[in-house]
Amino acid sequence: MLSLSRRTWRACHVFTLLGLAWSGLQAATDKPLITEDDLYSELPFTLTATRLSQTAKDSPVSITVIDREMLEAYDAQEFIDVLRLVPGFQVVHPSSHRVSTTYHGLGAEYSQRMQILVDGRSVYSPMFGNVQWMDLPLEVEDIERIEVIRGPNAASYGANAFNAIVNIITRHPVDTQGSFFKVVNGARDTQRYMARFGERTDNLDYRFSLSHRGDGGFDSDEFPDDKRISSLSFRGDYQADLDDSFQFQFGISESEYQEGSTDPEDTLDEPLRDVNTQTSFQLFKWQRQLDVNEAFSLQFSHNYQHVKDNSFTAPMNEIVGFDLAGAITANTGVPTANEQLALHYGFLTHRYDLEFQHTLEPYRNLRLVWGAGARLDQVGSKGYFDRASDRDYFNNRTYRLFAHSEWRPSKAWTINAGVMVENNDLTGTDLSPRLSVNHHFTDQHTLRASYSKALRTPTIFEEYADAVIKLSDGRELDQLYTNSNGLQPEKITSLELAYIGHYPQFGIDVDVKLFYDRIRNTLNELEDEAYNDPLNDLVGANVSNRVFIFQNEGYTNLKGLEAQLRYDLGRGTRIHLGYTLLDVEGRRQSDINDEGIIGNSSYRDYEFEAPRTIGTLQLIQDIDHDLRGSVAFHRYSRYRFAGGNGTGDFKILNWRLAKSFRSGDTKAKVAMTFQNMLDEFFDYEREQPFESRVYLSLELGF
């Protein structure tokens, strides 16, 4: 590992930025800034917003597209970090293997208010409602682009498309033909090996991708978090004839990572241990083109996750600091040993999802898409639900019916209207509508006003939590979580006013929006100090009155401004800018004291619930025909996620240099990536800071 002073690093940064700027000026003088193709170029089409192919000016919501070039230039070791380029987004790292992302703050270790899709397949966990990003059988080299919907979109994708959607779209196998190998080595003992093979056979294009990666986690002696992950994935696309196509995907990943603490006090009830996870999925999709403007699709997918996390505490007398075993024996008359307590934090989940979609254009200025779906979520956990085993499931069945229309009454207007009707076992039937009116002053300038409502269904854990620690003879000792039954969905009402501008003569695309989001029925985890713990009955005294519970209580109001700008300066320079100004205020239930009185707390953005401002920049520069440099810069004002520590204002600077080589059909690339090259910072836990890191990667394809 290179050892340079902070002053030396900063000097390197300055010279790198100056070099990239000089290269941009050289490109501007050597090549025309705007070509005829640029002048008549159109905004890119996306599918995620409404399930219809639309440009940003016709969409009812704001969209950020992270394309293949931006992904490669960012070169994140965990590809989720690239979401920092999206206005309003935060990415935090409670540990090296657990990463959380949120939109407009209000985050936690398990962020639950966002729908995450991979090729249209929902991947959030039915257990906690979060995404286990590290365990997805997905390689960044296989991603074509990421479409991010910045705003509620339950009208198109149902519950949990609460405040944003991230749709990861993988590359078609026809674009990944041949053999490809990549090796990454760098800071914190990072090693990654990836191999891919793609081929075409008759009408079938397919690829296999295989990888293994590991690192030493954060530089923390108290919280070791090493991880090792291996994965295999497959995608095949079969074109049966001109009208029918079929897609097959499957993937599996296995991981091992460290949990717990080395602190002598923490190891009593949170011992250091290895956790093993197995994740897999299968997807089948049939698409049929009925005519030029009409098509339907049928998709089935299955997700599976099994987390194995079983351990033992220290002897229980050491945990409490007195002779607990003796007290239980004296009170109950049942001989009780000073035993180690079994902890079962593992769980097992299945998701089965079937969806039909029909797209048509009944009239020249009217396009429609409608469909229906059914989903079964199964979750089992011996420890979290006090069940006989992890295979003793809770079920949640969801049925949905959706429709969306795009109507163009004239060239100057686009009106989008959509609705989703859902019924599930936890909260019953809900309706999520959306309406937007887009006025096109010209082909390049649009003003949009939109209204939408969305909801987040409680997770199975929030609804049925019953985590209890037992003695070896089955007697209940300590209740950790309990449930209140009958939770209601969180609800959001969102209003937006946006301007979308396309300036082809300057190579600029801009999107600016004002927003107001009103969230009600907020689901909070709180501490109930009026609870009669089972331990009290065992010892015959009131020694424990604490349990965690989930309740609908509180509200949040968010308002602010977001802007993003894409600037293509000539053929070799590209700039992406994002800015967020956010004001948050609200109230949440914080606890229930020992007299049963509810305690509330109010908060505003300056009290850390969300950063007041977020700024982001990415610069991509072709220095030579086979040498490319890139810089990414982010600035966050202070915040604090639930369960984490309050941060100060912090900045992130990453840069990368990549050299490409080619000989016939053989391609190679060498890249150096420099991350976190400013001051040390943390984004969740103070004990887990990010220091400067350097990585070297080698690629070979033929």
Side-chain angles (χ1 to χ4, degrees):
M1 179 75 183
L2 295 175
S3 178
L4 298 177
S5 68
R6 179 68 59 182
R7 180 175 297 178
T8 304
W9 277 123
R10 286 180 172 168
C12 292
H13 304 158
V14 171
F15 283 116
T16 300
L17 292 171
L18 289 174
L20 291 175
W22 174 253
S23 299
L25 291 175
Q26 289 276 31
T29 56
D30 294 344
K31 306 173 185 176
L33 285 179
I34 300 298
T35 68
E36 185 177 355
D37 289 341
D38 295 327
L39 189 61
Y40 293 101
S41 67
E42 180 57 276
L43 292 170
F45 286 85
T46 61
L47 287 168
T48 306
T50 62
R51 298 174 180 257
L52 295 170
S53 179
Q54 292 179 312
T55 62
K57 70 178 183 180
D58 292 318
S59 171
V61 291
S62 294
I63 304 171
T64 297
V65 178
I66 301 174
D67 59 28
R68 180 82 208 133
E69 186 178 52
M70 295 172 68
L71 275 167
E72 184 175 305
Y74 200 88
D75 201 19
Q77 297 307 304
E78 310 296 351
F79 73 84
I80 183 180
D81 287 341
V82 78
L83 293 178
R84 287 184 172 134
L85 294 174
V86 181
F89 265 67
Q90 292 169 265
V91 179
V92 301
H93 300 74
S95 67
S96 73
H97 59 269
R98 186 177 299 118
V99 187
S100 180
T101 184
T102 186
Y103 180 59
H104 289 167
L106 306 180
E109 185 173 358
Y110 298 99
S111 292
Q112 303 157 323
R113 298 184 176 99
M114 194 180 303
Q115 177 69 273
I116 309 297
L117 308 171
V118 178
D119 291 327
R121 173 179 59 92
S122 177
V123 297
Y124 75 86
S125 168
M127 175 64 174
F128 296 120
N130 67 314
V131 175
Q132 296 292 106
W133 292 94
M134 301 299 102
D135 294 324
L136 292 178
L138 176 66
E139 308 303 325
V140 67
E141 292 80 10
D142 293 338
I143 298 175
E144 178 64 28
R145 67 185 185 278
I146 302 175
E147 296 181 0
V148 182
I149 307 303
R150 302 180 352 252
N153 206 9
S156 292
Y157 293 94
N160 286 65
F162 188 77
N163 60 7
I165 291 181
V166 176
N167 188 15
I168 301 167
I169 300 169
T170 63
R171 304 173 72 180
H172 194 285
V174 76
D175 298 321
T176 56
Q177 300 289 291
S179 299
F180 175 85
F181 302 92
K182 184 173 183 177
V183 177
V184 180
N185 196 288
R188 304 297 304 147
D189 298 323
T190 295
Q191 292 184 332
R192 178 171 179 257
Y193 308 95
M194 186 262 183
R196 181 179 66 212
F197 175 74
E199 194 171 35
R200 179 179 180 86
T201 308
D202 295 328
N203 295 332
L204 174 65
D205 295 289
Y206 67 90
R207 70 160 174 268
F208 285 94
S209 296
L210 178 69
S211 76
H212 175 78
R213 56 193 169 118
D215 61 56
F218 285 99
D219 186 12
S220 172
D221 294 331
E222 184 177 348
F223 299 103
D225 58 350
D226 294 10
K227 66 174 182 285
R228 301 291 181 268
I229 305 170
S230 299
S231 69
L232 168 69
S233 62
F234 169 85
R235 173 173 169 172
D237 287 73
Y238 179 71
Q239 189 70 42
D241 52 41
L242 292 177
D243 299 324
D244 295 282
S245 62
F246 299 88
Q247 184 182 132
F248 313 88
Q249 292 192 40
F250 70 80
I252 184 171
S253 75
E254 294 185 350
S255 64
E256 180 179 279
Y257 51 85
Q258 291 180 300
E259 284 277 20
S261 170
T262 60
D263 187 291
E265 294 184 5
D266 293 335
T267 54
L268 296 177
D269 58 358
E270 185 68 15
L272 185 65
R273 62 200 185 275
D274 289 332
V275 178
N276 294 279
T277 299
Q278 185 180 83
T279 303
S280 65
F281 79 93
Q282 303 83 40
L283 179 144
F284 168 79
K285 186 174 185 178
W286 170 35
Q287 292 179 285
R288 182 172 179 83
Q289 195 73 33
L290 300 176
D291 61 34
V292 176
N293 298 314
E294 186 175 5
F296 72 79
S297 65
L298 184 67
Q299 177 173 299
F300 173 78
S301 65
H302 169 238
N303 300 342
Y304 167 86
Q305 184 182 32
H306 192 186
V307 176
K308 300 176 183 178
D309 184 1
N310 301 308
S311 61
F312 288 91
T313 69
M316 59 183 178
N317 289 353
E318 295 183 30
I319 299 175
V320 298
F322 64 90
D323 186 9
L324 176 59
I328 295 174
T329 301
N331 181 61
T332 64
V334 179
T336 303
N338 180 27
E339 63 183 63
Q340 294 177 286
L341 303 174
L343 301 177
H344 302 284
Y345 292 144
F347 59 90
L348 193 155
T349 71
H350 289 274
R351 167 169 291 163
Y352 303 90
D353 198 301
L354 178 66
E355 182 178 272
F356 170 82
Q357 177 178 304
H358 182 202
T359 305
L360 64 158
E361 187 173 336
Y363 304 102
R364 184 177 58 84
N365 60 349
L366 178 65
R367 293 195 298 159
L368 301 174
V369 58
W370 71 276
R375 175 182 296 167
L376 171 62
D377 286 336
Q378 295 182 314
V379 174
S381 175
K382 180 178 180 179
Y384 284 112
F385 300 120
D386 191 20
R387 309 290 271 193
S389 74
D390 289 349
R391 298 185 183 278
D392 192 357
Y393 297 124
F394 283 99
N395 295 327
N396 181 28
R397 300 170 183 83
T398 303
Y399 305 95
R400 59 190 182 272
L401 180 67
F402 60 88
H404 184 90
S405 67
E406 180 200 77
W407 179 40
R408 298 170 180 262
S410 71
K411 186 178 180 180
W413 296 92
T414 301
I415 299 174
N416 286 278
V419 66
M420 172 77 73
V421 181
E422 284 186 294
N423 176 273
N424 68 79
D425 293 339
L426 300 183
T427 61
T429 302
D430 293 288
L431 186 73
S432 300
R434 175 175 59 198
L435 175 68
S436 81
V437 179
N438 298 26
H439 178 58
H440 311 296
F441 297 99
T442 69
D443 287 341
Q444 281 79 43
H445 302 284
T446 297
L447 188 67
R448 181 188 73 239
S450 60
Y451 162 87
S452 62
K453 299 183 75 172
L455 55 95
R456 179 181 82 82
T457 304
T459 67
I460 290 178
F461 178 63
E462 289 170 330
E463 181 68 22
Y464 297 116
D466 187 14
V468 59
I469 296 177
K470 296 182 179 182
L471 297 172
S472 58
D473 60 10
R475 287 180 292 169
E476 295 185 356
L477 179 68
D478 185 20
Q479 188 82 36
L480 304 178
Y481 281 89
T482 189
N483 60 75
S484 56
N485 290 321
L487 294 175
Q488 297 299 308
E490 292 184 331
K491 296 186 177 181
I492 184 172
T493 302
S494 180
L495 300 173
E496 291 186 5
L497 183 65
Y499 165 74
I500 302 97
H502 181 49
Y503 300 84
Q505 66 273 32
F506 302 113
I508 292 176
D509 293 315
V510 63
D511 178 345
V512 181
K513 77 169 183 177
L514 300 172
F515 61 87
Y516 174 75
D517 295 338
R518 180 179 180 269
I519 302 175
R520 297 297 182 265
N521 286 353
T522 305
L523 269 168
N524 291 315
E525 175 186 324
L526 58 104
E527 187 176 354
D528 184 354
E529 298 175 358
Y531 186 81
N532 183 30
D533 201 71
L535 179 60
N536 298 334
D537 295 331
L538 290 178
V539 300
N542 187 17
V543 296
S544 178
N545 298 94
R546 187 185 74 169
V547 73
F548 289 98
I549 192 170
F550 297 96
Q551 289 192 3
N552 292 105
E553 182 65 30
Y555 70 88
T556 304
N557 297 320
L558 305 98
K559 59 183 177 180
L561 175 146
E562 274 182 10
Q564 70 175 9
L565 182 145
R566 186 185 71 181
Y567 185 19
D568 288 325
L569 178 63
R571 294 297 189 184
T573 306
R574 184 176 175 187
I575 298 173
H576 177 88
L577 292 167
Y579 178 76
T580 304
L581 177 64
L582 180 63
D583 181 78
V584 181
E585 67 90 16
R587 179 184 60 82
R588 65 162 174 255
Q589 189 170 314
S590 56
D591 57 42
I592 302 175
N593 69 17
D594 55 7
E595 297 179 356
I597 299 175
I598 295 175
N600 296 310
S601 62
S602 299
Y603 55 87
R604 293 188 60 85
D605 54 270
Y606 57 76
E607 294 177 302
F608 304 152
E609 286 299 327
R612 172 72 170 169
T613 59
I614 303 174
T616 185
L617 159 73
Q618 185 183 46
L619 166 65
I620 304 172
Q621 177 61 55
D622 289 337
I623 301 172
D624 199 354
H625 70 279
D626 56 5
L627 181 63
R628 170 172 286 187
S630 58
V631 174
F633 175 79
H634 312 278
R635 185 192 182 281
Y636 296 87
S637 60
R638 60 180 185 166
Y639 65 87
R640 182 180 62 213
F641 276 8
N645 302 126
T647 73
D649 298 352
F650 65 89
K651 304 171 185 176
I652 305 171
L653 176 65
N654 305 332
W655 50 281
R656 177 180 186 263
L657 287 172
K659 174 74 172 178
S660 299
F661 306 88
R662 182 162 189 165
S663 176
D665 293 331
T666 301
K667 300 178 183 178
K669 184 181 294 183
V670 180
M672 288 286 292
T673 302
F674 303 82
Q675 292 186 348
N676 316 320
M677 304 313 294
L678 297 176
D679 295 329
E680 189 175 88
F681 71 95
F682 68 92
D683 57 21
Y684 188 81
E685 288 277 4
R686 184 176 294 107
E687 294 83 4
Q688 295 172 321
F690 283 93
E691 74 287 349
S692 297
R693 301 177 179 183
V694 181
Y695 303 93
L696 172 67
S697 65
L698 306 174
E699 299 178 12
L700 178 66
F702 51 89

